[in-house]
Amino acid sequence: MTLRFKLRTLLLLIFVLIVTVATSTELPLFREAPAFRNGRECPKTTWSSLHKRAHNPSIIHIAMTLDSTYLRGSVAGVFSVLQHATCPENIVFHFIGTQRLRADLRRTITATFPYLNFEIYHFNTNLVKGKISYSIRQALDQPLNYARIYLADLLPPGVRRIIYFDSDLIVVDDVAKLWRINLRGHVVGAPEYCHANFTNYFTSKFWSNPVLAGAVRGRRPCYFNTGVMVINLWKWREGKYTEKLEYWMRIQKKYRIYELGSLPPFLLVFAGDVEGVEHRWNQHGLGGDNLEGLCRDLHPGPVSLLHWSGKGKPWLRIDNKKPCPLDSLWAPYDLFRHKSMLFSDS
């Protein structure tokens, strides 16, 4: 074997190793969740993506995004929903992810929740290419953060209503209570916060332009957090609301009228026309603000859902040994397998 051949072989091996490392993304490992079964009062029903046009009112549909960065939060969220549901077998999760990690994410969810009824849909990031403007926090600029705008296009027509959850929350109540709210003809239902100063969500350039500011004239717009929404997808499709949201994304690219990612277009399209949901279903802001992520207390009143919106995420603060007091409420739902657990299992 000549020296030249050996050198060529070595270079080839190095190239293959570099390509393998560059194209592989190691996802976190999780403990297997227990099987959660329906109570006796639950209707027996099944759902299959093959029945794309069949609407079954006994099935609760929940949409979440999946990616490597927030996967630990997503898994905790799913676990919390199942643990507190009266009819967990009647819940279908619709996960939105990018093509690059889709197979790995499917394996992870299947291994963690062997009994879960779920689908994973490919979100084509080209849909928002050229429409995203930089915001106050880089995490808000990720294409998957805009996937909630396209749920009506991604999900089968038989899914007429969906609950959308962010990946940094836990549910501590039966999600069926949220599912059953009466939208009273509205497209979106969510907790509203009318005490918040609505003008702060848009720049002076927006308010000084009578044409742009006229979009909310005649309405009583209130802030709502888009991390928890009940959506009538049938009305959404009928009203072409995806196009209306995209319109404001294009305006933003041209005039720079807001600073907060995917939230402001929802406010411009829906604020003042939202079916109000009890505040207990979105105790948000537990991640602090978008700059420092400082610890916060719960809002007064009962709690059905805890939401770590903001910069601080409970799993990161716990791993850094700098948890906030309320992060201890998230920790019991964390199925992440730490290195010490991996060694103890071997």
Side-chain angles (χ1 to χ4, degrees):
M1 188 179 291
T2 65
L3 181 61
R4 181 178 294 179
F5 180 79
K6 288 181 179 179
L7 183 60
R8 186 180 298 171
T9 303
L10 179 61
L11 290 173
L12 180 61
L13 288 173
I14 292 173
F15 174 76
V16 171
L17 180 61
I18 292 172
V19 170
T20 301
V21 172
T23 56
S24 65
T25 302
E26 185 178 345
L27 294 178
L29 298 175
F30 300 94
R31 305 190 307 276
E32 182 180 318
F36 295 97
R37 300 303 186 188
N38 283 355
R40 291 183 178 179
E41 67 274 28
C42 299
K44 292 185 178 181
T45 185
T46 57
W47 184 86
S48 171
S49 60
L50 298 176
H51 306 140
K52 294 188 175 182
R53 295 191 174 275
H55 171 65
N56 187 335
S58 299
I59 298 292
I60 296 173
H61 295 278
I62 299 175
M64 299 177 74
T65 58
L66 281 184
D67 67 354
S68 57
T69 304
Y70 284 84
L71 184 58
R72 191 167 164 187
S74 300
V75 167
V78 172
F79 186 33
S80 72
V81 169
L82 297 175
Q83 186 165 323
H84 294 282
T86 302
C87 304
E89 294 179 276
N90 291 4
I91 299 174
V92 177
F93 282 87
H94 302 266
F95 297 117
I96 315 299
T98 58
Q99 186 66 32
R100 188 171 64 91
L101 290 175
R102 191 174 171 189
D104 292 335
L105 290 169
R106 180 177 294 277
R107 281 191 292 269
T108 297
I109 295 298
T110 301
T112 309
F113 302 103
Y115 308 96
L116 190 69
N117 196 347
F118 74 93
E119 293 289 332
I120 297 182
Y121 305 85
H122 169 226
F123 177 63
N124 182 1
T125 56
N126 287 330
L127 288 171
V128 292
K129 189 175 182 179
K131 298 189 183 83
I132 298 177
S133 302
Y134 70 89
S135 64
I136 196 170
R137 184 159 58 92
Q138 188 176 3
L140 301 177
D141 302 338
Q142 302 307 309
L144 208 54
N145 194 42
Y146 291 80
R148 70 196 80 189
I149 293 175
Y150 299 92
L151 291 176
D153 302 318
L154 293 168
L155 273 53
V159 181
R160 299 182 186 177
R161 172 185 280 224
I162 195 81
I163 295 174
Y164 176 82
F165 281 154
D166 268 350
S167 298
D168 53 1
L169 58 77
I170 57 171
V171 177
V172 293
D173 202 346
D174 189 352
V175 74
K177 297 176 184 177
L178 179 61
W179 176 255
R180 288 195 296 261
I181 68 162
N182 186 352
L183 290 178
R184 290 182 239 272
H186 295 286
V187 178
V188 171
E192 292 182 293
Y193 303 90
C194 296
H195 63 277
N197 189 343
F198 191 82
T199 59
N200 289 341
Y201 292 95
F202 302 94
T203 64
S204 57
K205 187 174 292 187
F206 173 82
W207 294 113
S208 63
N209 186 315
V211 176
L212 298 178
V216 294
R217 191 174 297 120
R219 290 152 55 184
R220 296 182 61 186
C222 294
Y223 162 76
F224 67 98
N225 180 281
T226 57
V228 178
M229 296 184 288
V230 182
I231 304 173
N232 183 327
L233 290 180
W234 186 82
K235 280 185 171 291
W236 183 295
R237 295 173 180 123
E238 188 179 53
K240 299 182 178 179
Y241 282 93
T242 296
E243 296 177 14
K244 294 176 182 179
L245 291 162
E246 286 182 325
Y247 166 78
W248 285 111
M249 291 170 67
R250 288 192 293 270
I251 293 294
Q252 162 71 352
K253 290 290 288 187
K254 187 174 182 180
Y255 295 107
R256 189 71 184 170
I257 59 173
Y258 54 78
E259 306 286 345
L260 277 175
S262 64
L263 168 66
F266 275 88
L267 296 180
L268 289 168
V269 172
F270 293 109
D273 192 21
V274 171
E275 177 60 32
V277 176
E278 287 183 272
H279 287 181
R280 67 189 303 153
W281 284 105
N282 196 351
Q283 285 269 352
H284 69 291
L286 304 185
D289 60 21
N290 281 302
L291 297 175
E292 298 183 63
L294 301 177
C295 298
R296 286 187 177 175
D297 295 325
L298 287 174
H299 306 292
V303 180
S304 293
L305 184 150
L306 298 158
H307 187 187
W308 278 261
S309 58
K311 185 178 181 180
K313 302 306 173 189
W315 57 92
L316 296 178
R317 297 195 292 216
I318 290 171
D319 286 354
N320 291 330
K321 299 187 175 0
K322 295 180 180 179
C324 292
L326 291 177
D327 295 345
S328 63
L329 299 177
W330 180 89
Y333 302 96
D334 184 16
L335 294 176
F336 178 64
R337 297 181 69 180
H338 294 271
K339 289 183 179 180
S340 58
M341 294 181 180
L342 294 175
F343 289 127
S344 65
D345 289 347
S346 59

